[in-house]
Amino acid sequence: MGKFFMLVIVLVFGSNLAIAQQDNIVHSIQKGESVYQISRQYGVSINAIFDLNPGSRDIIYAGETLLIPNSSNNTSSTSTQITSNGVSNYEVQRGETKSGLSRRFGVSIAMLEQQNPHIVNMLQAGHIINVDKSITEQARTARQGEHIVVKGETLWGIARQNGISVAQLEAANANQLSEFLQIGQTLIIPDKNSVITNPNEYLVVRGDTKFELARRFNMTIAELEAQNPHIIDMLMAGHKLNINKSESNAIATTTENNSVETPSVEVNNPTTNGDYIDYTIQAKETLYGLSRKAGMTMEELMVLNPSLRVAVNKGDIIKMPRNPSAVKESEVVTLDNTSNEIDINVNNRNASLFSNLNTTDVTGLYFYTPFSSQELSSPEERQKMVNADPNKQFYIDFFQGAQIAIDSAKSLNIDFDVALIKKNIAKSSITINSNHKKNALLIPFLDNASHFSEVISNEEVSVIDIESNIVSTNNTKVYKSFPTNELERTKALNYLALQNARVIVISELEESKNKALIQSIIPNAKFLKVDNSGNFGQNALDNTLSTIKPNFVILDSEKTSIFLNSTTALMSRLSNYDIQLVLLESALIPKQNQVSDMRFRVLKLIFPSILDPQNKKDIKDFERSYEDIFEVKPSKHAVLGFDITLDVLLRLAQDSSFESTINNVVSEHPHLRFEYKKSDESNYLNTGLHLLQYNSNEGLIEID
């Protein structure tokens, strides 16, 4: 009986499978085909094929078969017909664009919009499209507030022509811009004086953040989100915000995090009326702990005591309120177990460092800078130096990041002293007289390495090079903490050399600037020259691309125009060739306001990076805490200040020598990985790089 029952189940299941397969088309994969090509052939989406064939997301092989959903079995309420003469009752699907539909139906965007005026301003899922190809395309004239794209135009040119910024133009057309402009596309031209359409509204532009907008309109982020629920998940360019303050005051803020009040502490004149007393900092106290004791935010305490911007040192005397007021949790940036915590022991990546901390011995941390302690502590002096040399802001940002790292290390009970050494180009050496057995000297952004010759110290000092290009002298160990551009290029090329593929290098120069390095790693690489606009000679690209192998195309140029035109040419050939784009340095990636990342995804861009895409939460936690303290987003230099300073302090706090931790421990903080390799007897180089690839389905993934 049991066997009979099982047989019935198998027969029923088999018959259902047979019926399901009859509803689908079986496609035999031909050599050179991609899922994208096959989806276009049958008029179905890529995701529909992926759903039926899960393994096809990764790779497909010639000779195997794919199940293709039969479009005639579409359960849509409309009866869609797509013929050579036109389109009838086509329902727009989520994710489709005018550009994609125009190619699929074989008509221009102008013709698509002419016969379907309801999609001119925005194409939405659910729109019904009808196209009759027998109708002659009419010459169109732009109405007031519109612009029709013609050949050769760019967003920058259109914005300039209409006296507006590119950000305004992008915001007004956020829902219809794709990877590149289309001839005949209708753009909305906003009034250059009406980005804010009325006093109680604001149109979000690219680059805006909730934090900045809340501060600009004197609201909390919670109030901004409460009045604009559509931005809770994500703030996007083109969003219209209600910024009516009277409405935000009427919203109940019953939870602790819904309101942030500023303590009524006089910090501009701390000695008035005897409101403040002198306080001696005790061993292992932190900036956070002192702010809690004072009943103030950390920023307010630093305004009251500028020396705290440099370090919290045992024995220093600072001013504290005589009668501290209670401070709310939401008013401080915390480094312990609260919602604002900077979790510096994330996912046990640094378990070997944290498990062996020596909290008894004291170490020394020195910074070699253009500022003295007094100058760094004085806002007036700092601003005066930045006005004279804007590059000095790099150091200020660096120290603000380092300050958070110092406080984080003190919260772990690590004991160390901090000191600044002001640069003096008249001196040929740096002398350090330390009371500690282990010390580290951090040297950020040295503008002329020849001004740094040697370190003379009575104790061991490890020199940490931060984009300073220092050469070791007098047997001093130098640790280059930031991966070099050459290391980025080498990592990408080594990966390509292992692939069974053709490597093509595109450059506008007669000789690619990286030709010697490329040929030393990939001797068979092909070199292709484009003109100054990024255009190829007739048939030059097609004659170089391989039809039987994958093609890795290295774009060896810093010009955005070269990137745009070259990638446009590559994308137009994806139906005939297997192409992937490669950049040898992360610095060569165009900025987002210049090039849409749609191109990166379509061409599956490969590039080296110091950042780990898996660390998004850690990075956001640091950015949130930094913004709360300093009221600005952290720059690259602030990031270096935090990650490098924290890593150095953790390595100094081990029972083994600093060099031993460098040889044996790979660490990883929110932004940087520290994986040092010895380059010669006195120099170490951080090789902590990731090789990333844009993937249309998963975003950025690590491939090496």
Side-chain angles (χ1 to χ4, degrees), residues 385-609:
M385 295 184 75
V386 170
N387 289 342
D389 180 2
N391 287 338
K392 295 293 192 296
Q393 184 65 46
F394 297 168
Y395 292 89
I396 294 173
D397 293 349
F398 180 88
F399 276 105
Q400 289 181 168
Q403 181 183 333
I404 299 177
I406 287 169
D407 206 46
S408 301
K410 284 186 177 290
S411 72
L412 296 169
N413 293 320
I414 299 174
D415 204 354
F416 53 92
D417 290 330
V418 180
L420 297 184
I421 301 174
K422 185 174 181 179
K423 288 195 294 187
N424 186 337
I425 61 175
K427 292 185 177 180
S428 60
S429 62
I430 299 173
T431 302
I432 297 177
N433 293 314
S434 176
N435 297 322
H436 314 304
K437 292 296 182 184
K438 286 197 291 185
N439 307 272
L441 172 62
L442 277 62
I443 306 179
F445 324 131
L446 196 63
D447 50 2
N448 189 341
S450 64
H451 292 163
F452 178 85
S453 55
E454 64 175 338
V455 176
I456 301 174
S457 175
N458 60 322
E459 298 289 354
E460 175 188 335
V461 176
S462 301
V463 176
I464 315 300
D465 179 315
I466 306 162
E467 295 192 323
S468 291
N469 198 29
I470 297 169
V471 177
S472 174
T473 58
N474 198 26
N475 296 321
T476 302
K477 295 289 193 300
V478 174
Y479 303 90
K480 297 184 184 297
S481 59
F482 199 76
T484 63
N485 290 338
E486 183 175 0
L487 187 63
E488 284 191 302
R489 295 191 289 266
T490 302
K491 185 174 183 69
L493 290 170
N494 285 338
Y495 172 81
L496 299 184
L498 296 175
Q499 313 305 310
N500 181 24
R502 173 163 294 179
V503 176
I504 301 167
V505 185
I506 295 175
S507 171
E508 79 277 16
L509 305 174
E510 289 297 333
E511 290 281 342
S512 162
K513 64 179 182 179
N514 291 306
K515 186 171 184 177
L517 177 64
I518 294 170
Q519 287 184 326
S520 68
I521 299 175
I522 309 174
N524 297 325
K526 307 291 183 183
F527 291 84
L528 192 58
K529 184 180 181 300
V530 294
D531 62 25
N532 289 330
S533 298
N535 297 313
F536 298 90
Q538 188 174 9
N539 300 325
L541 181 58
D542 292 300
N543 291 339
T544 310
L545 291 167
S546 171
T547 58
I548 60 175
K549 286 184 176 182
N551 295 275
F552 288 104
V553 179
I554 299 172
L555 197 52
D556 192 17
S557 173
E558 299 177 358
K559 294 183 179 179
T560 302
S561 59
I562 303 291
F563 185 95
L564 286 169
N565 290 329
S566 297
T567 53
T568 299
L570 293 174
M571 288 191 293
S572 70
R573 289 162 171 79
L574 284 174
S575 59
N576 298 317
Y577 303 96
D578 184 355
I579 299 173
Q580 273 193 264
L581 182 65
V582 181
L583 293 177
L584 299 182
E585 299 174 31
S586 55
L588 295 177
I589 299 177
K591 294 180 180 178
Q592 204 168 32
N593 62 353
Q594 296 175 315
V595 176
S596 167
D597 64 1
M598 177 70 74
R599 291 175 184 252
F600 307 155
R601 297 196 297 270
V602 170
L603 290 169
K604 295 182 180 179
L605 171 63
I606 294 173
F607 65 98
S609 173

Side-chain angles (χ1 to χ4, degrees), residues 36-46 48 68-72 74 80-109 112 129 131 133 182:
Y36 172 71
Q37 293 171 261
I38 296 169
S39 70
R40 291 189 62 186
Q41 177 181 338
Y42 291 98
V44 299
S45 69
I46 293 178
I68 310 299
N70 192 336
S71 58
S72 65
N74 195 317
T80 301
Q81 290 186 347
I82 304 175
T83 68
S84 59
N85 297 321
V87 179
S88 174
N89 293 325
Y90 179 81
E91 183 176 346
V92 176
Q93 304 300 307
R94 183 186 179 101
E96 289 187 309
T97 65
K98 294 179 189 178
S99 172
L101 292 178
S102 71
R103 289 196 298 268
R104 181 175 179 184
F105 301 149
V107 297
S108 67
I109 291 180
L112 200 63
I129 302 293
V131 176
K133 293 185 179 179
Q182 296 289 322

Side-chain angles (χ1 to χ4, degrees), residues 308-406:
L308 294 178
R309 294 189 184 276
V310 179
V312 178
N313 285 326
K314 178 180 65 176
D316 284 358
I317 297 176
I318 61 173
K319 293 192 179 300
M320 295 279 275
R322 185 179 297 277
N323 298 304
S325 59
V327 62
K328 293 183 179 180
E329 290 292 335
S330 57
E331 291 169 353
V332 294
V333 179
T334 61
L335 298 170
D336 55 9
N337 296 321
T338 71
S339 59
N340 282 331
E341 176 185 3
I342 300 178
D343 187 354
I344 57 177
N345 188 11
V346 182
N347 297 331
N348 291 320
R349 281 192 294 271
N350 303 312
S352 58
L353 289 177
F354 284 99
S355 61
N356 295 299
L357 288 178
N358 180 338
T359 58
T360 303
D361 295 340
V362 184
T363 59
L365 185 68
Y366 299 87
F367 294 92
Y368 186 63
T369 80
F371 297 101
S372 65
S373 296
Q374 181 179 355
E375 289 167 336
L376 190 63
S377 301
S378 167
E380 294 78 14
E381 290 293 328
R382 289 202 311 270
Q383 193 57 50
K384 188 185 300 183
M385 295 184 75
V386 170
N387 289 342
D389 180 2
N391 287 338
K392 295 293 192 296
Q393 184 65 46
F394 297 168
Y395 292 89
I396 294 173
D397 293 349
F398 180 88
F399 276 105
Q400 289 181 168
Q403 181 183 333
I404 299 177
I406 287 169

